[in-house]
Amino acid sequence: MAAAPAAPAIRDLAQQPTDEETMSLYAPATENAAAIEKAIFEHSLTRSLLQDPKYIASRPHLKIPAQLRGQNLTGGTLLGEGKIEVPPVQFGTKDGSSFVSLQYLGTALCGHPGIVHGGLLATLLDEGMGRCCFPALPNRAAVTASLKVDYKAPAMAGQIFVLRAETTRVEGRKAWVKAWLETLVDEKNGEKPLVVTEAEALFIEPKMAAQMNLVRG
């Protein structure tokens, strides 16, 4: 009886949507979310990534069953109006070498009025670097062993940010990754993105990774 409520969630985990399916699962519930969604998908960066055969597009947070989203920080707790307004759109390579993610950060995520909390930026970088390198590891799973973050400029809330990550080295169960967060701009019109945060991290795959039933959204 105690395990009964968990049964639907376990079943849903076994029947997760594919990367391609996640791209059509989200429907904006507010006008602001719809405007953000339009801005992301109509931007030249997104269009170019969607057309680049080396990248796999997905919205991995939508793989998390609804019953479990309340237990996931970036895939549940921080999603919503005024926060991470729409599920991030992410692009990763099959070999785990490169990763790009677009996400809107709202005013409910600030540490100081109008400025996104630095702890949240570190969280996004940590998660993005992990998603970048997972495919390069034997069992596609790892935990953060070390994380270094440098804050370069205030990240002003209420806009879309681009997270870029690159796996720089892989040795067995270890992967070294670098990443940065920058503003989304129209580079074709001469605008230059502002880098707000840079990071480096070491990820290590647990020895028992092959036996672990890891839930990754």
Side-chain angles (χ1 to χ4, degrees):
M1 293 292 291
I10 294 173
R11 182 188 64 240
D12 291 345
L13 280 173
Q15 301 173 348
Q16 286 186 343
T18 64
D19 290 328
E20 183 178 1
E21 289 171 343
T22 63
M23 294 296 288
S24 60
L25 289 178
Y26 175 69
T30 66
E31 289 185 7
N32 194 48
I36 295 168
E37 185 85 342
K38 181 178 180 181
I40 289 175
F41 280 94
E42 290 189 352
H43 196 277
S44 58
L45 172 61
T46 307
R47 292 201 301 267
S48 66
L49 290 168
L50 287 170
Q51 295 171 1
D52 192 331
K54 79 174 184 179
Y55 283 105
I56 300 170
S58 69
R59 297 184 113 159
H61 296 95
L62 297 183
K63 291 187 177 184
I64 305 171
Q67 303 96 314
L68 297 180
R69 288 178 188 167
Q71 301 174 45
N72 188 283
L73 181 61
T74 57
T77 306
L78 295 178
L79 281 182
E81 190 171 359
K83 297 183 285 186
I84 301 177
E85 194 103 2
V86 306
V89 181
Q90 306 188 349
F91 301 86
T93 56
K94 289 183 179 180
D95 63 358
S97 62
S98 181
F99 178 87
V100 183
S101 176
L102 293 90
Q103 51 267 304
Y104 175 91
L105 304 181
T107 55
L109 300 174
C110 294
H112 299 280
I115 301 176
V116 179
H117 196 292
L120 173 65
L121 301 181
T123 297
L124 295 177
L125 287 160
D126 179 34
E127 184 173 286
M129 287 188 287
R131 291 189 186 280
C132 178
C133 73
F134 284 169
L137 294 167
N139 293 288
R140 301 175 60 87
V143 295
T144 310
S146 65
L147 174 66
K148 177 179 180 292
V149 181
D150 292 321
Y151 297 94
K152 314 298 288 186
M156 307 308 296
Q159 63 178 312
I160 299 167
F161 290 88
V162 181
L163 188 156
R164 299 179 184 271
E166 298 174 1
T167 300
T168 58
R169 181 158 56 110
V170 179
E171 293 181 3
R173 296 185 296 109
K174 297 181 179 180
W176 287 261
V177 192
K178 67 178 181 179
W180 61 97
L181 269 167
E182 63 187 28
T183 54
L184 179 67
V185 298
D186 188 353
E187 295 187 59
K188 290 186 177 180
N189 285 336
E191 298 178 7
K192 294 185 178 180
L194 173 67
V195 175
V196 297
T197 318
E198 296 177 344
E200 297 178 355
L202 167 63
F203 291 86
I204 300 178
E205 184 177 278
K207 291 182 179 180
M208 71 291 294
Q211 291 76 42
M212 292 173 63
N213 182 20
L214 294 177
V215 178
R216 299 192 303 275

